């Protein structure tokens, strides 16, 4: 009993303080390379539909708190960029307020058609701040962190088929 009292007194006298873990500012090269290796074959074999299917499976098999989520998101961003390049994206969604997009129940976030729908991709990307994976980031840090890895993944996936 006396040991328990001493321990509790010591604990109260020296409160535990949380250490702030700095949010990474750059996606590791290994994440970029792994995303390319994972998604390029699906894109080369079945085009944007193959890529969308692979991205959907990535999300389904990845915990919301895992750093592997970055790879899934980079695949999603690549899908969006391909839809823009192929002029299959309705860019009017970008004029909407993010909270309106999130609240819009007509925009699905799951199912293959959602992974091929530009509006659905935008909605998924706007929901990122709610993912446990990004708890260490301020909301305005998440997209810049992901954007710097998005272009190399897009280039790697689309160039892979030309080899």
């Amino acid at each position: 009993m006396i040991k328990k009292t001493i321990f509790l007194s010591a604990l109260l006298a020296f409160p535990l303080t949380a250490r702030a873990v700095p949010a990474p500012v750059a996606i590791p090269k290994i994440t970029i390379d792994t995303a390319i290796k994972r998604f390029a074959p699906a894109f080369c074999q079945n085009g944007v539909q193959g890529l969308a299917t692979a991205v959907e499976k990535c999300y389904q098999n990845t915990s919301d708190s895992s750093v592997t989520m970055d790879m899934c998101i980079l695949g999603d961003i690549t899908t969006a960029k391909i839809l823009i390049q192929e002029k299959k994206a309705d860019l009017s969604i970008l004029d909407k307020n993010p909270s309106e997009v999130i609240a819009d129940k007509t925009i699905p976030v799951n199912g293959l058609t959602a992974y091929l729908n530009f509006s659905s991709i935008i909605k998924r990307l706007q929901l990122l701040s709610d993912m446990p994976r990004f708890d260490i980031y301020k909301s305005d840090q998440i997209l810049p962190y992901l954007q710097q890895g998005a272009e190399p993944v897009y280039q790697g996936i689309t160039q892979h088929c030309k080899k």
Side-chain angles (χ1 to χ4, degrees):
M1 178 73 169
I2 210 158
K3 287 183 182 180
K4 196 182 268 187
T5 306
I6 292 171
F7 176 74
L8 287 173
S9 298
L11 189 60
L12 294 173
F14 302 103
L16 299 174
T17 56
R19 287 188 172 193
V21 177
V25 294
I27 292 180
K29 183 171 176 2
I30 192 161
T31 301
I32 292 168
D33 293 344
T34 304
I36 294 167
K37 286 178 189 168
R38 181 168 186 171
F39 298 127
F43 177 69
C44 293
Q45 288 177 348
N46 298 310
V48 72
Q49 185 156 355
L51 175 59
T53 299
V55 169
E56 180 181 30
K57 286 179 184 171
C58 184
Y59 280 123
Q60 289 171 350
N61 298 320
T62 305
S63 162
D64 283 355
S65 58
S66 172
V67 295
T68 304
M69 184 58 67
D70 296 359
M71 184 177 62
C72 304
I73 295 165
L74 291 172
D76 221 356
I77 293 170
T78 299
T79 304
K81 190 160 183 172
I82 291 169
L83 291 173
I84 291 169
Q85 296 295 324
E86 293 180 357
K87 297 183 177 23
K88 294 180 180 175
D90 177 4
L91 301 180
S92 67
I93 190 80
L94 300 175
D95 295 331
K96 287 187 175 182
N97 182 315
S99 59
E100 286 179 281
V101 175
I102 291 169
D104 188 342
K105 301 293 185 204
T106 65
I107 302 173
V109 290
N110 294 317
L112 184 57
T113 56
Y115 286 86
L116 288 167
N117 179 326
F118 185 73
S119 296
S120 296
I121 295 169
I122 297 302
K123 185 172 180 177
R124 277 194 300 278
L125 295 177
Q126 289 174 339
L127 290 168
L128 291 176
S129 60
D130 293 336
M131 281 187 181
R133 160 70 186 106
F134 296 107
D135 283 348
I136 61 173
Y137 291 87
K138 294 178 185 170
S139 61
D140 62 345
Q141 293 177 311
I142 299 170
L143 283 179
Y145 165 74
L146 292 166
Q147 285 171 334
Q148 56 79 32
E151 185 60 24
V153 170
Y154 169 78
Q155 291 296 326
I157 289 172
T158 56
Q159 296 302 312
H160 184 83
C161 302
K162 296 176 182 176
K163 291 180 182 178

